[in-house]
Amino acid sequence: MTDRQDVRTTAPRFAQADSAPFEHWIAALRAEARTKGIGENTLAEAFDGLRLNRRALELEARQPEFVTPVGAYVAALTGKQALATGREKRRQHAALLARIEAAYGVPARYLLAIWRLESDYGANFGSFPVVETLATLAYAGTPKRRPFWRRQLIGALEIVDRGHATFARLVGSWAGAMGHTQFIPTTYLDHAVDFDGDGRRDLWRSLPDVFASTANYLRKSGWQSGLPFGWEAALPEGFDYSRAHLGESRTVAEWRALGVRRADGKPLPEIDRPVSLIVPAGWNGPVFLVTQNYRAILRYNNAAAYALTVGLLAERLEGQGDLVARWPAAARLLSRAEKAELQRGLMALGYDPGPVDGKVGPETRKAIRAFQKRAGKPADGYANQALLDAVRKAAHR
Ligand code: CA
């Protein structure tokens, strides 16, 4: 961590026009915490002399845009080093991982992949003091997110009050994600487990607790044992891409009847469970059939690039080769401003992309597919530069 004096300052510099003074705010928070049964000693330790953390506010305000194309993200996180370290860790912890798979139905390779993405196999937990950081964000962070930060702060106090960790141990990311697999406090309270039986759920020093907690969270998120996240798929000529999104599920047999195959030529398993088709980089990139387990990974971190990278790394750890299709050589993704322009353009053309918020969600993708269909293009619902150019052109006609 950098010199603490550099990243901290005293409360008044953060006082917001619409906020109570920090001391009053803390007093109200302490009162709320007492109603949740949190003890006086814990509260005193948490709040006496607490300062605000300027760096957490800066990081929240910056809200970096995710502009790395999914293919580049996958490549960056699943390279040789990630595979070599992952296999070494699997060998080191084989017996433990086998016990956890038996108990929770989540295979070692998925736990290792999540571990890699969350903390680089435990190399980097983040070094922010969690209570200080969450108190700062709950008091002076983005107004609409303050209730969320406040819940996390109360959760962090509960963790210490129940004796699972000390405040000194409670370090994590600027957003309060903690330990080897980066649980936020409410996720910790709901899903962390004490697998080594020492009475504490320790996500910082106990790998049995870390792996079991992660497996438990995935299981509670709907993980189905015996299934991978999905398979790379190959589609027939003229396939209707408007079927390719998480809102549409079919059985494997139904997809097969539509001509969908596995890209590597192996047979798809005969499973009678809902499966969706996704095109994470557009129709000219790799496409995937994804199972309920892909959705369980999304519960961990709701980004397609994340869930797909976890899935691909997990299967590569098990020996699966490279993808058959190439990722498109996109230089970058559209910025938020460009996505907003796209939404305004679609609106001007009579489509309904939902609110103009610079985010491409299900409504916007639906509008994109309708635009693509009318233009005679593959209706993959994917927003890229070519699409923006086409919408601009159509809107100025
Ligand atoms: Ca434990």
Side-chain angles (χ1 to χ4, degrees), residues 170-212:
L170 233 59
V171 293
S173 76
W174 71 267
M178 310 178 298
H180 282 269
T181 48
Q182 300 282 282
F183 275 34
I184 57 173
T186 52
T187 301
Y188 177 104
L189 289 167
D190 291 344
H191 301 296
V193 294
D194 169 26
F195 197 74
D196 62 12
D198 70 349
R200 285 190 297 273
R201 312 179 203 167
D202 187 344
L203 301 190
W204 298 267
R205 286 180 298 184
S206 164
L207 285 179
D209 289 7
V210 167
F211 295 147

